[in-house]
Amino acid sequence: MIIVIQFVVGLVFGFGLLLSGMSNPEKVLNFLDLAAIPSGGWDPSLLLVMAGAVGVTFAGFQLVRRRQRPVLGERFHLPPSQTLDWRIAAGPAIFGIGWGLAGICPGPAFVALGYGSPAILLFVIAMLVGMAAARRVADRQPSLASALTE
């Protein structure tokens, strides 16, 4: 039953990405092009998508914080450590640079595979290789916080 719920949630999420335009790199790049504001070429529509996502996430977290355990699980899976390390800064920075250059991020990239675009396929392959490389580097590197406390 849980897998069916996960599948339906994934379909709804994917449909939302398609409907909002998040799976279209051109639309995302037009949103990120703040220099186009004076000429009227900036596309602010994704700002509404992001605001909606933040609102839904905020409401969801408020509901979850009141629960003893998840609805479809035995326990919540929270990070075992609250120590900040170099990955907390480097990961989002790399993600943001990649999103700004390509105009697409992992979730929408998988949805956009349905377009049959060779560029999207290449992006997904490069993304998966990059994720595997990042995992290898992360497994070999000590955290910055532990290096500072030694």
Side-chain angles (χ1 to χ4, degrees), residues 86-87 133-143:
W86 65 272
R87 293 177 289 186
R135 173 68 60 199
R136 285 181 158 236
V137 168
D139 289 345
R140 291 183 185 165
Q141 299 292 322
S143 75

Side-chain angles (χ1 to χ4, degrees), residues 8 14 16 18-19 27 36 39 41 44 47 56 62 64 73 92 105 109 111 119 133 136 147-148:
V8 170
L18 283 171
L19 188 64
K27 184 168 185 72
S39 67
L47 192 60
V56 169
Q62 298 310 309
V64 165
C105 57
V111 172
R136 285 181 158 236
L148 293 175

Side-chain angles (χ1 to χ4, degrees), residues 7-84:
F7 180 76
V8 170
V9 168
L11 281 177
V12 170
F13 181 67
F15 181 71
L17 291 172
L18 283 171
L19 188 64
S20 68
M22 290 287 292
S23 62
N24 180 351
E26 283 186 38
K27 184 168 185 72
V28 173
L29 290 172
N30 286 338
F31 167 70
L32 295 173
D33 186 9
L34 299 180
I37 292 174
S39 67
W42 180 58
D43 182 356
S45 62
L46 293 184
L47 192 60
L48 297 173
V49 173
M50 289 182 185
V54 168
V56 169
T57 301
F58 179 79
F61 271 105
Q62 298 310 309
L63 292 171
V64 165
R65 292 176 75 201
R66 294 185 190 137
R67 300 191 56 83
Q68 295 294 321
R69 66 184 208 75
V71 175
L72 299 175
E74 295 299 317
R75 63 182 180 86
F76 289 108
H77 297 275
L78 301 173
S81 171
Q82 293 184 352
T83 303
L84 298 180

